[in-house]
Amino acid sequence: MHFKPTAGANCAIRQDIDLQAGVETLACDLISANGCGAVHTLFLHGAGQSTRERQWPVRETLALQGCASAAIDFSGHGDSTALSPNSLAKRVDEAQAALDRFTEAPRTVIGVSMSGEIAMRLACRPENRITHLVTIVGAIYDGAAFNLPFGPGFTAALRRPDSWRDADSLALIRGYRGRITLIRASEDKVIPKEIAELIAANAHAAEQCRIVDLPGVDHRVSERSAQDEALRELLAKLIAD
């Protein structure tokens, strides 16, 4: 374990930890500060070149407000291994391993971009006791793509027009009883704005479901928040509320 404090008198502290998930060794970290207490919050990064590092600025802001959090690099990302083919199903298993290892109930889970689907699936497992589900420019996926290895077959499934309307997670979310926060970016050219509306329309049992729009922001919310203190503060507030 390695402790990496940020600058400042009342600073956030990052603790780096490895997690075994199946055949993979995942790079993980906890970010906390004085007075945070137990970890109840898990962040899940997106696809492409994303890693847990992109959420560090928001997580440090949260920690200084008393909310510790955990995050992982999914296999094939950042400092994690990539020993077997990746898929959405594998990502759910890896996220579940992190949730079990690092967090205590009641839990909040945040899914960024591709991990909107992952976070929804975790939240819909009652045994996880997730009371707040947050998606940031969150995606959902055709159920037919869930078990497909990332590659040509997976891409072909996603390219079917409006394939996300057939996401299994939409049926699952109907039974979720916690709170839901769906954060959209007004200039997002990657995730259709209708996805948040479709999730909200299916969240029949949720205690609360809100859609929050970020004006003038594109899909790269995490990158933008690293340079925008007001955006970091807003995201932290929406997550901690």
Side-chain angles (χ1 to χ4, degrees), residues 3-15 30-39 58-70:
F3 294 83
K4 299 185 179 180
T6 59
N10 181 24
C11 62
I13 297 177
R14 193 176 87 241
Q15 177 184 359
L30 309 179
I31 294 182
S32 61
N34 290 335
C36 277
V39 177
V58 170
R59 293 174 59 209
E60 288 178 350
T61 300
L62 270 170
L64 294 175
Q65 295 176 2
C67 178
S69 64

Side-chain angles (χ1 to χ4, degrees), residues 178-238:
R179 295 178 296 120
I180 303 174
T181 299
L182 307 169
I183 301 172
R184 300 188 298 194
S186 65
E187 305 303 317
D188 195 342
K189 305 301 182 186
V190 178
I191 303 299
K193 65 181 181 63
E194 292 85 1
I195 284 181
E197 294 162 3
L198 191 57
I199 294 170
N202 281 273
H204 305 309
E207 177 185 339
Q208 178 194 54
C209 184
R210 58 182 176 173
I211 297 175
V212 179
D213 288 306
L214 304 177
V217 180
D218 65 15
H219 187 71
R220 297 168 295 179
V221 176
S222 299
E223 295 93 320
R224 171 75 172 267
S225 67
Q227 309 298 326
D228 187 332
E229 182 179 359
L231 179 56
R232 286 197 304 277
E233 293 285 348
L234 174 59
L235 292 173
K237 182 179 187 298
L238 291 171

